[in-house]
């Protein structure tokens, strides 16, 4: 620890330097807690939006085949459009892939930091992914 002595040999000003260093360290720790917590929240939201968009897409089944009981598949155009509409309404960027009975939705968002911008970290990325599979079930067994 640094110490400044005055003419009489007494310590003068040593607490100021310690307090300054401790304050900077506490601001960085507080920044990590707030901003990493914010990123986790944004990540959870990205995953939730992806799951709901995939669920919405999975509900867009091809009615003629389903009614006849021959097949249960997502109507690709309607499913993709439903998921994109959900993403647009949520304000989140993402992509949709429909392949037969499987719908995959990827989302991405950015958390703008509150404290960590002091040290140059202005944004933190957050992504989400959800996959649904459409199945035909008869008496509790997949067909």
């Amino acid at each position: 620890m640094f110490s400044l002595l005055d003419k009489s040999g007494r310590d003068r000003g040593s607490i100021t330097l310690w307090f300054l260093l401790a304050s900077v360290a506490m601001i960085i720790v507080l920044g990590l807690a707030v901003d990493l917590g914010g990123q986790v929240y944004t990540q959870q939201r990205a995953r939730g939006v992806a799951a709901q968009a995939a669920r919405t897409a999975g509900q867009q089944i091809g009615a003629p085949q389903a009614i006849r009981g021959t097949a249960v598949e997502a109507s690709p155009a309607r499913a993709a459009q439903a998921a994109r509409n959900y993403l647009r309404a949520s304000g989140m960027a993402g992509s949709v892939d429909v392949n037969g009975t499987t719908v995959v939705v990827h989302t991405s968002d950015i958390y703008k930091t509150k404290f960590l911008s002091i040290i140059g970290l202005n944004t933190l990325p957050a992504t989400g992914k959800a996959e649904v599979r459409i199945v035909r079930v008869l008496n509790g067994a997949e067909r």
Side-chain angles (χ1 to χ4, degrees):
M1 177 174 294
F2 293 101
S3 177
L4 300 174
L5 300 176
D6 63 8
K7 292 180 182 177
S8 64
R10 294 182 309 193
D11 282 339
R12 182 178 61 86
S14 62
I15 193 72
T16 305
L17 182 60
W18 180 86
F19 184 74
L20 178 67
L21 292 174
S23 296
V24 169
M26 290 304 289
I27 288 172
I28 291 172
V29 169
L30 176 66
L32 283 171
V34 169
D35 287 336
L36 292 180
Q39 184 192 25
V40 167
Y41 171 78
T42 304
Q43 186 89 22
Q44 289 173 337
R45 183 175 178 275
R47 289 178 184 154
V49 168
Q52 293 305 318
R55 178 196 54 80
T56 301
Q59 292 174 340
Q60 308 302 315
I61 62 172
Q65 302 93 336
I67 290 170
R68 287 192 305 267
T70 58
V72 179
E73 288 186 346
S75 174
R78 286 192 351 233
Q81 188 60 45
R84 285 189 199 100
N85 288 343
Y86 192 93
L87 291 173
R88 190 177 312 109
S90 72
M92 192 168 296
S95 64
V96 182
D97 181 35
V98 181
N99 185 9
T101 61
T102 305
V103 178
V104 180
V105 177
H106 293 271
T107 57
S108 62
D109 203 0
I110 293 175
Y111 172 74
K112 293 180 182 171
T113 60
K114 310 280 188 274
F115 286 91
L116 293 181
S117 59
I118 294 170
I119 60 171
L121 288 173
N122 296 320
T123 60
L124 297 172
T127 59
K129 177 186 175 187
E131 182 176 326
V132 295
R133 193 169 61 90
I134 302 167
V135 296
R136 180 174 172 235
V137 177
L138 183 63
N139 295 327
E142 188 176 326
R143 303 279 176 185

